[in-house]
Amino acid sequence: MAGSPRRAAGRRLLLPLLCLLVQVATAILFAVFVRYNHETDAALWHWGNHSNADNEFYFRYPSFQDVHAMVFVGFGFLMAFLQRYGFSSVGFTFLLAALALQWSTLVQGFLHSFHDGHIHVGVDSMINADFCAGAVLISFGAVLGKTGPAQLLLMALLEVALFGINEFVLLSLLGVRDAGGSMTIHTFGAYFGLVLSRVLYRPQLEKSKHRQGSIYHSDLFAMIGTTFLWIFWPSFNSAPTTLGDGQHRTALNTYYSLSASTLSTFALSALVGGDGRLDMVHIQNAALAGGVVVGTSSEMMLTPFGALAAGFLAGTVSTLGYKFFTPVLESKFKVQDTCGVHNLHGMPGVLGALLGVLVAGLATHEAYGDGLQSVFPLVAEGQRSATSQALYQLFGLFVTLTFASVGGSLGGLLLRLPFLDGPPDSQCYEDQMYWEVPQEQDDEAQGPLRAEELVTQA
């Protein structure tokens, strides 16, 4: 029993100290290095002869709004399916995304927009920071309910840095095309989180098994997240693409792919479900796989038929993964994937990367015309053949898997440090570990936790 006051005091201090330390350090770095770019700075913008309507803000901000809603509302509520972990799912999403936005602005800024001794930021910086936050939240889904906020903050700090490096290697050094992030966001975030979960494996997690499921209203909240993500995913994939036909084509391909993955999800869920009934877990997640699978190829000449075929395949693979592969991951590979990120982001992300390899290899001047310059500039300039570009795309996938695996391993070792106050096996998936919970739950719901606390403290 004596350990309880010490643990409570540690919990009281650890999160505030980490938050304040990170915020102060970030603020100092912003003060030294971060400046407005030429489209944001008052003097620089008005020095040139520009029309305000030409400012990049008016072209990019609508997409940014959609991506922002996906990160904070879509991801947060999608993970609110656990019956007694809703505060943590939405609240920790809020915390991690707010940290990732600042830290990724610095990391990506040093790698992509650092010149004259400063990082120059604008609306593109906000979009790219949101993408990085998305990768962090995907990893969060793999360890949802099994980690404390201090552990998650350190995970985010490490992952944002590795995300930025991996993205720089792929996009800037290798010349890989990955506008919607099948590789840089989904594959990286999923396998970083899965390896992290493997290192943090809990053999006694059965003690919290009774909290791991959902109830009627928690599944309904998760479906709100699904709806937000589904509606805004065309903006997510098209936000960083070239204005004009490229952005238009990306949104269109994503739109069709999502619709096809939804139909295949409903079909497969009924087919493999008991008595032909639908499983809400499949609908909440696998219906979104169409957005993931065309992340790399959506700006390419995938064709509407190709988008439908890719989406249907992704929905099928994702649904079957939730039904059959998730139990195998835990029983055979000791990977406890709370949200099933392997099925929604991992496998569809890899499929999306391979689809990008195929479509890049088929690129021709006849198919793209003058638009080849915006989609495959190195091919258009004669520095690469379409086949070479396809091989670079494939190599980019292996680089991403390597960064994710190494990063997840390092992150797991870091998060195992005892002072980080992770929840005991008997108290996982429980909001009362870290939140003041309104006294609306009945005594029967709260009783098991009190009993488990006494056992843990003894």
Side-chain angles (χ1 to χ4, degrees):
M1 299 291 287
S4 181
R6 287 199 299 271
R7 184 167 187 169
R11 187 179 304 149
R12 180 186 297 273
L13 292 175
L14 185 59
L15 182 60
L17 285 175
L18 270 176
C19 287
L20 292 174
L21 178 63
V22 170
Q23 187 58 77
V24 168
T26 303
I28 292 172
L29 291 171
F30 264 63
V32 175
F33 292 109
V34 179
R35 301 291 183 271
Y36 297 128
N37 69 8
H38 69 282
E39 298 205 10
T40 313
D41 186 275
L44 293 176
W45 175 254
H46 290 283
W47 181 74
N49 185 21
H50 301 292
S51 166
N52 287 334
D54 294 332
N55 195 291
E56 189 82 357
F57 175 86
Y58 297 102
F59 299 99
R60 298 292 187 187
Y61 192 76
S63 295
F64 164 74
Q65 286 180 304
D66 294 350
V67 174
H68 217 46
M70 288 178 70
V71 169
F72 285 91
V73 181
F75 278 105
F77 278 91
L78 180 63
M79 291 187 279
F81 67 95
L82 292 170
Q83 55 185 297
R84 287 162 66 176
Y85 207 67
F87 281 18
S88 300
S89 298
V90 178
F92 293 159
T93 292
F94 201 6
L95 172 66
L96 290 177
L99 168 65
L101 299 184
Q102 299 180 62
W103 180 222
S104 62
T105 296
L106 292 166
V107 173
Q108 293 175 315
F110 281 120
L111 293 170
H112 295 286
S113 59
F114 186 78
H115 53 88
D116 299 328
H118 294 110
I119 296 168
H120 296 84
V121 297
V123 68
D124 284 340
S125 307
M126 297 194 297
I127 293 172
N128 291 330
D130 269 7
F131 281 174
C132 181
V136 172
L137 296 178
I138 291 168
S139 300
F140 174 40
V143 295
L144 185 72
K146 301 171 293 183
T147 44
Q151 291 176 301
L152 293 171
L153 284 175
L154 291 181
M155 178 199 80
L157 288 171
L158 173 63
E159 185 170 4
V160 167
L162 291 174
F163 173 92
I165 296 170
N166 179 65
E167 182 188 54
F168 177 75
V169 171
L170 263 64
L171 305 187
S172 299
L173 300 184
L174 298 178
V176 168
R177 307 297 295 180
D178 190 35
S182 289
M183 288 183 278
T184 56
I185 300 171
H186 301 288
T187 301
F188 178 84
Y191 289 102
F192 184 99
L194 291 168
V195 174
L196 182 71
S197 180
R198 175 62 185 87
V199 177
L200 297 177
Y201 176 70
R202 291 171 175 263
Q204 303 299 319
L205 194 59
E206 286 290 330
K207 294 179 180 179
S208 293
K209 195 73 174 178
H210 59 286
R211 299 193 202 94
Q212 199 170 353
S214 62
I215 52 179
Y216 191 85
H217 73 263
S218 67
D219 266 336
L220 195 59
F221 274 118
M223 196 63 199
I224 293 173
T226 298
T227 305
F228 267 86
L229 291 168
W230 200 96
I231 291 172
F232 292 134
W233 214 299
S235 294
F236 186 92
N237 283 352
S238 65
T241 54
T242 306
L243 298 177
D245 68 286
Q247 198 166 57
H248 194 166
R249 184 170 57 252
T250 303
L252 201 66
N253 285 332
T254 308
Y255 175 85
Y256 288 128
S257 183
L258 283 165
S259 64
S261 67
T262 302
L263 265 68
S264 66
T265 298
F266 273 85
L268 266 293
S269 184
L271 187 63
V272 303
D275 299 324
R277 289 178 295 182
L278 299 167
D279 188 331
M280 185 56 89
V281 172
H282 302 161
I283 309 306
Q284 289 164 358
N285 294 279
L288 300 170
V292 177
V293 78
V294 295
T296 297
S297 60
S298 54
E299 70 169 333
M300 305 174 191
M301 292 291 285
L302 179 60
T303 76
F305 167 77
L308 287 172
F312 193 89
L313 175 63
T316 300
V317 169
S318 184
T319 304
L320 294 176
Y322 276 101
K323 179 65 177 179
F324 300 110
F325 196 47
T326 295
V328 174
L329 268 182
E330 181 168 357
S331 62
K332 300 297 184 183
F333 298 98
K334 296 183 173 23
V335 176
Q336 296 158 325
D337 181 7
T338 307
C339 290
V341 300
H342 185 250
N343 308 308
L344 173 54
H345 301 280
M347 291 190 294
V350 172
L351 285 175
L354 296 176
L355 180 61
V357 172
L358 174 63
V359 181
L362 297 175
T364 63
H365 286 274
E366 290 74 19
Y368 287 82
D370 292 339
L372 189 64
Q373 178 65 41
S374 62
V375 182
F376 298 112
L378 297 176
V379 176
E381 295 163 6
Q383 299 182 40
R384 284 182 189 171
S385 65
T387 303
S388 296
Q389 181 66 41
L391 291 175
Y392 274 94
Q393 297 285 141
L394 183 60
F395 184 58
L397 173 61
F398 289 114
V399 170
T400 297
L401 290 170
T402 300
F403 269 106
S405 300
V406 173
S409 300
L410 292 175
L413 295 175
L414 178 65
L415 268 56
R416 289 175 70 91
L417 294 175
F419 70 88
L420 291 177
D421 190 40
D425 291 337
S426 62
Q427 297 174 33
C428 292
Y429 316 115
E430 175 57 64
D431 274 336
Q432 290 183 77
M433 276 293 298
Y434 301 103
W435 297 86
E436 292 285 351
V437 178
Q439 299 303 309
E440 296 176 0
Q441 300 179 7
D442 56 33
D443 291 336
E444 182 180 353
Q446 296 190 34
L449 178 63
R450 296 194 186 105
E452 288 156 6
E453 285 175 340
L454 292 174
V455 172
T456 302
Q457 294 164 8

